[in-house]
């Protein structure tokens, strides 16, 4: 499956028909047998959460690959930036298991400020 902001966001089966977001491609993973590959065209993607219903099978994992040098057919060279830091579009992550203590009182509510 392909991801590109230039695709028509239909089924991800080619660069022309590429999904416009990584979550759309992850949602299209059809089963838990694994061996599926998502190829991403260089660009900046503001994504809230990256998860899939299927993680793949042991020894046959799903892959997310960046076409950073254009060798996989995107025709583009560059970086792939996945930005989850936008307060409106992205997700602010918190390290619940780190050395700093967080709880639901310390985490700012939407529109109430940030750390």
């Amino acid at each position: 499956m392909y991801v590109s902001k230039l695709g028509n966001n239909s089924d991800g089966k080619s660069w022309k028909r590429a999904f416009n977001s990584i979550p759309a491609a992850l949602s299209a993973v059809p089963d838990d047998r694994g061996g599926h590959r998502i190829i991403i065209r260089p660009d900046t993607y503001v994504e809230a959460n990256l998860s899939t219903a299927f993680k793949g099978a042991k020894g046959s994992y799903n892959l997310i690959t960046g076409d950073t040098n254009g060798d996989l057919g995107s025709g583009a060279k560059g970086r792939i930036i996945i930005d989850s830091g936008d307060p409106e579009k992205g997700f602010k992550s918190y390290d619940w298991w780190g050395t700093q203590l967080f709880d639901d009182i310390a985490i700012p509510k939407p529109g109430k400020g940030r750390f």
Side-chain angles (χ1 to χ4, degrees):
M1 287 178 271
Y2 297 90
V3 175
S4 169
K5 291 184 177 181
L6 303 178
N8 69 9
N9 202 37
S10 61
D11 61 16
K13 292 184 179 182
S14 68
W15 286 113
K16 184 177 180 177
R17 299 165 63 151
F19 292 113
N20 297 141
S21 71
I22 300 166
L26 289 170
S27 294
V29 172
D31 55 53
D32 62 355
R33 292 180 291 181
H36 305 288
R37 186 164 100 166
I38 296 171
I39 304 170
I40 305 172
R41 183 182 192 278
D43 211 327
T44 298
Y45 299 87
V46 179
E47 311 287 12
N49 290 310
L50 300 179
S51 64
T52 181
F54 305 110
K55 62 182 177 180
K58 185 175 182 179
S60 184
Y61 301 102
N62 296 322
L63 299 175
I64 296 177
T65 305
D67 189 16
T68 56
N69 58 10
D71 289 347
L72 299 175
S74 72
K77 293 182 181 182
R79 294 178 185 229
I80 297 163
I81 300 169
I82 302 171
D83 180 4
S84 61
D86 185 292
E88 297 299 320
K89 299 177 184 175
F91 172 73
K92 291 290 187 188
S93 64
Y94 300 97
D95 183 0
W96 294 97
W97 306 107
T99 57
Q100 189 172 6
L101 177 62
F102 287 106
D103 59 30
D104 60 352
I105 296 169
I107 298 171
K109 307 295 183 247
K112 303 290 184 187
R114 300 187 266 182
F115 288 97

